[in-house]
Amino acid sequence: MAVDELDTRILRLLLEQPRTSVREYARVLGVARGTLQARLDRLERDGVITGTGPTLSPAALGHPVLAFVHIEVTQGRLDDVGDALASVPEIVEAFSIAGGGDLLTRVVARDNAHLEDVIQKVISLPGVVRTRTEVALRERVPQRLLALVESIGRSVRT
């Protein structure tokens, strides 16, 4: 989906001021509220905007340990294992990958012992051959999209 300069200005504003009203966004951008709403609807429909809820901190919710668990799966069982991973609440993301392993998960835990329990639960799932875990020590670059939106905005203007 191609975005134009107004789209990038809207996205930047959503990232910088996520709790502002549509009316206020329209005022700041100098566009009609209907125009802004139509753009927001299109950006959602096209999958650019994928959510509007708050970003939560697993650490603040009592799960400060973050690990990335690579999972090797028996051939033909990728969908089954992926579905089973969805039942483990400490797995906050899972991706099929190319390279070492078949799945990469982001796992949160209360402490290292809890992390081991979660990994043991994953290992016991039918179709899981082995896992490899990497524990995150410190976040160096928090999840961000503003730099990407600004980069896209610069390419739209040139």
Side-chain angles (χ1 to χ4, degrees):
M1 183 218 136
V3 296
D4 63 15
E5 186 173 348
L6 178 56
D7 291 335
T8 59
R9 290 174 54 216
I10 291 169
L11 294 171
R12 179 186 178 114
L13 197 55
L14 287 172
L15 291 169
E16 290 178 337
Q17 301 174 33
R19 298 184 76 160
T20 302
S21 69
V22 172
R23 181 187 318 239
E24 181 62 14
Y25 288 144
R27 186 193 68 72
V28 168
L29 294 168
V31 299
R33 185 182 183 284
T35 300
L36 178 63
Q37 189 62 61
R39 291 294 184 113
L40 290 171
D41 292 344
R42 181 179 51 81
L43 291 166
E44 286 180 16
R45 189 175 52 251
D46 291 346
V48 175
I49 298 173
T50 58
T52 57
T55 303
L56 304 178
S57 166
L61 292 169
H63 289 67
V65 175
L66 170 63
F68 298 93
V69 179
H70 299 258
I71 304 170
E72 187 177 321
V73 176
T74 303
Q75 281 192 327
R77 299 294 306 269
L78 190 60
D79 289 339
D80 297 335
V81 172
D83 292 344
L85 292 175
S87 70
V88 181
E90 295 87 357
I91 296 177
V92 296
E93 288 184 296
F95 301 91
S96 340
I97 59 170
D102 299 300
L103 292 164
L104 175 64
T105 63
R106 187 164 69 107
V107 178
V108 296
R110 293 183 301 273
D111 53 36
N112 287 344
H114 182 222
L115 176 60
E116 181 181 7
D117 293 342
V118 173
I119 293 167
Q120 290 302 318
K121 188 182 300 184
V122 169
I123 290 171
S124 71
L125 294 174
V128 172
V129 175
R130 73 178 48 89
T131 65
R132 188 183 88 236
T133 302
E134 298 167 355
V135 176
L137 300 176
R138 181 181 298 160
E139 182 177 67
R140 298 294 180 166
V141 177
Q143 183 179 9
R144 64 196 178 117
L145 292 173
L146 184 56
L148 177 63
V149 168
E150 289 174 341
S151 172
I152 293 168
R154 283 191 298 274
S155 67
V156 168
R157 288 190 287 269
T158 57

